[in-house]
């Protein structure tokens, strides 16, 4: 372990039963309070503003405008003509239109759908003669066009992820950003995973629930057995089997890690869950160097009550593309992903509602020893919210129309069209294989 990092090793022995941690009970408060406690040196330091993984490289096609938002601020990602990724505020600096309905020209320029302003990859207006046509009465047009400029955020592609450096204040000049952490300190390689050694499957899922609630859910070991016991294909994950663990929590300034080892030593490690601020959760077994299977979950705070999760499962087995296609590995994995998220969804929504309506008060929640990871996460979040106030940067006005909400939700579990499409694909492939085994193989190969 690095000497530069402060660390504290805590060993919490517990069985998977109601072991009430007194200390936690006294501290537990899921409401975000304004009080800031004195931070011990091993307290997480990460800010809510900074690098976020917001999109998978494979999800962004050339000439595609990818609309999303961060803390209520509408944004667009696209590739310019050299396939360099760009992230801009979804706001045309002429009269504030969205780029929805706009396009990217063959020269890689972004065109506003309202009056046709074109913007170069640097964000400058390029139709210096006329925006739309010749009917311009502004005699100072040339000067005007030179002044309008897109508002941007630093954006970079790394390891099949697209990251943006989000500050809540987009700028016309990217060199004005004061970037305090290198992207290399954010990628999975920085905590030991060599992602090029893995194959992966991925889904993106949207929730109408609070962003921080979803992260809390992914740090929560307890619910896995109860909520997902019938879905996750692991004999130890079942609501009917009591499994006992030892827990070891390592707190550092850059991450918190919780290791769960079977009390039955012969069974070894069950799982390690790691939280890396602001929005990444990594789950694996063993060490980053040896793990055969790694789950990386990136949480994107789209807006009030809306969050996106990119779930990527890396594996060192079943890497042969033909075999994985033949056994429909991708579709079967997706089926599990969708079911797991559907199982979480109702709970997340009601929990968010209870919190936002003020129904959860200090004494209403009593945390278990197993919830310590969740408590540490909330401690960090509380401090970070007080310091960065990201939700104050672009507060959502009431009575806003819901264009962003309606068109941006990629996969709300309440509208499970992707899950249905996935099932149809499984059924079709099964039929194909049963009717025409050879023809089916040929079709897959083609
Ligand atoms: S608002 Fe974009 S060109 Fe007018
Ligand atoms: Fe879950």
């Amino acid at each position: 372990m690095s000497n530069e990092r402060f660390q504290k090793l805590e060993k919490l022995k517990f069985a998977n039963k109601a072991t009430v941690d007194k200390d936690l009970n006294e501290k537990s408060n899921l409401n975000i309070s304004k009080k800031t406690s004195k931070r011990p040196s091993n307290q997480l330091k990460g800010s809510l503003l900074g690098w976020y993984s917001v999109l998978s490289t494979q999800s962004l096609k050339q000439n595609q405008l990818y609309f999303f938002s961060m803390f209520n601020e509408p944004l667009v990602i696209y590739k310019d003509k050299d396939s360099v990724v760009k992230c801009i505020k979804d706001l045309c600096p002429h009269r504030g239109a969205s780029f929805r309905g706009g396009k990217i020209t063959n020269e890689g320029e972004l065109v506003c759908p309202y009056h046709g302003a074109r913007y170069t990859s640097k964000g400058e207006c390029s139709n210096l003669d006329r925006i739309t046509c010749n009917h311009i009465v502004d005699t100072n047009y040339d000067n005007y066009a030179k002044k309008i400029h897109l508002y941007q955020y630093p954006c970079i592609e790394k390891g099949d992820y697209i990251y943006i450096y989000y500050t809540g204040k987009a700028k016309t000049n990217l060199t004005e950003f004061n970037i305090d952490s290198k992207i290399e300190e954010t990628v999975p390689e920085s905590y030991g995973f060599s992602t090029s050694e893995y194959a992966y499957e991925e889904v993106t899922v949207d929730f109408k629930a609070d962003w921080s609630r979803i992260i809390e859910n992914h740090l929560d070991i307890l619910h896995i057995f109860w909520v997902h016991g019938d879905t996750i294909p692991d004999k130890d994950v079942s609501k009917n089997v009591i499994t006992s663990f030892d827990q070891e929590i390592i707190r550092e300034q850059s991450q918190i890690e919780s290791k769960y080892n079977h009390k039955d030593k012969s069974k070894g490690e069950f799982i390690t869950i790691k939280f890396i601020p602001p929005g990444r959760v990594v789950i694996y077994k063993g060490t980053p160097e040896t793990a055969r299977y790694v789950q990386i979950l990136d949480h994107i705070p789209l807006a009030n009550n809306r969050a996106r999760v990119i779930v990527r499962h890396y594996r060192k087995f079943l890497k042969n593309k033909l075999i994985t296609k033949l056994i429909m590995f991708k579709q079967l994995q997706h089926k599990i992903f969708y079911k797991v998220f559907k199982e979480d969804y109702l709970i997340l929504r009601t929990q968010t509602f209870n919190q936002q309506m003020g129904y959860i008060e200090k004494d209403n929640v009593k945390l278990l020893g197993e919830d310590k990871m969740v408590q540490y996460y909330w401690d960090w979040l509380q401090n970070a919210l007080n310091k960065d106030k990201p939700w104050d940067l672009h507060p959502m006005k009431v009575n806003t129309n819901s264009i962003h909400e309606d068109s941006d939700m990629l996969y709300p579990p309440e509208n499970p069209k992707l899950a249905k499409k996935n099932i149809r694909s499984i059924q079709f492939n099964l039929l194909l294989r049963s009717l025409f085994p050879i023809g089916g193989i040929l079709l897959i190969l083609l």
Side-chain angles (χ1 to χ4, degrees), residues 331 334-335 337-339 342 411-413 415-426:
Q331 289 96 323
H334 282 206
K335 193 175 164 205
F337 288 148
Y338 291 142
K339 186 147 187 282
K342 197 174 167 202
Y411 173 63
N415 176 20
K417 58 184 177 194
L418 282 179
K420 282 183 186 153
K421 196 173 153 199
N422 189 50
I423 295 279
R424 279 201 298 275
S425 167
I426 293 173

Side-chain angles (χ1 to χ4, degrees), residues 341-398:
F341 285 112
K342 197 174 167 202
E343 287 164 352
D344 282 326
Y345 194 42
L346 178 68
I347 295 162
L348 288 169
R349 291 193 77 174
T350 52
Q351 205 185 17
T352 296
F353 178 82
N354 287 343
Q355 188 200 356
Q356 293 183 335
M357 295 300 284
Y359 297 149
I360 303 180
E361 290 173 8
K362 187 178 186 321
D363 294 332
N364 292 154
V365 283
K366 310 266 185 268
L367 303 195
L368 282 161
E370 293 91 322
D371 292 320
K372 205 146 197 168
M373 188 72 171
V374 170
Q375 179 66 56
Y376 290 150
Y377 165 67
W378 280 100
D379 287 347
W380 165 77
L381 186 71
Q382 184 175 309
N383 283 325
L385 284 171
N386 288 341
K387 181 167 72 67
D388 301 325
K389 300 186 171 49
W391 294 105
D392 293 350
L393 293 165
H394 301 279
M396 188 91 90
K397 304 269 191 300
V398 285

Side-chain angles (χ1 to χ4, degrees), residues 193-202 283 290-296 312-325 327-331 333-334 337:
F193 295 106
S194 181
T195 51
S196 57
E197 291 173 14
Y198 295 81
Y200 68 82
E201 298 301 335
E202 172 186 290
I283 303 174
T290 58
R292 295 182 72 230
Y293 185 75
V294 186
Q295 188 176 343
I296 295 186
R312 196 178 276 191
H313 284 216
Y314 286 99
R315 61 179 188 278
K316 280 189 178 162
F317 50 91
L318 268 178
K319 287 167 78 176
N320 183 295
K321 282 191 178 148
L322 178 62
I323 293 174
T324 48
K325 221 164 190 180
I327 62 170
M328 292 186 284
F329 187 75
K330 180 176 166 183
Q331 289 96 323
Q333 282 273 293
H334 282 206
F337 288 148

Side-chain angles (χ1 to χ4, degrees), residues 248-301:
E248 183 182 73
I249 297 186
I250 300 166
R251 301 174 72 192
E252 301 176 18
Q253 290 193 342
S254 58
Q255 62 175 41
I256 327 172
E257 184 179 287
S258 184
K259 219 176 245 307
Y260 300 90
N261 292 306
H262 285 277
K263 270 202 183 294
D264 174 356
K265 297 266 182 296
S266 65
K267 292 175 94 179
E269 183 186 345
F270 174 64
I271 214 160
T272 293
I273 302 179
K274 201 192 273 283
F275 171 62
I276 302 152
R280 185 167 266 177
V281 174
V282 184
I283 303 174
Y284 60 99
K285 194 183 272 202
T287 65
E289 291 73 25
T290 58
R292 295 182 72 230
Y293 185 75
V294 186
Q295 188 176 343
I296 295 186
L297 301 112
D298 282 303
H299 302 78
I300 301 146

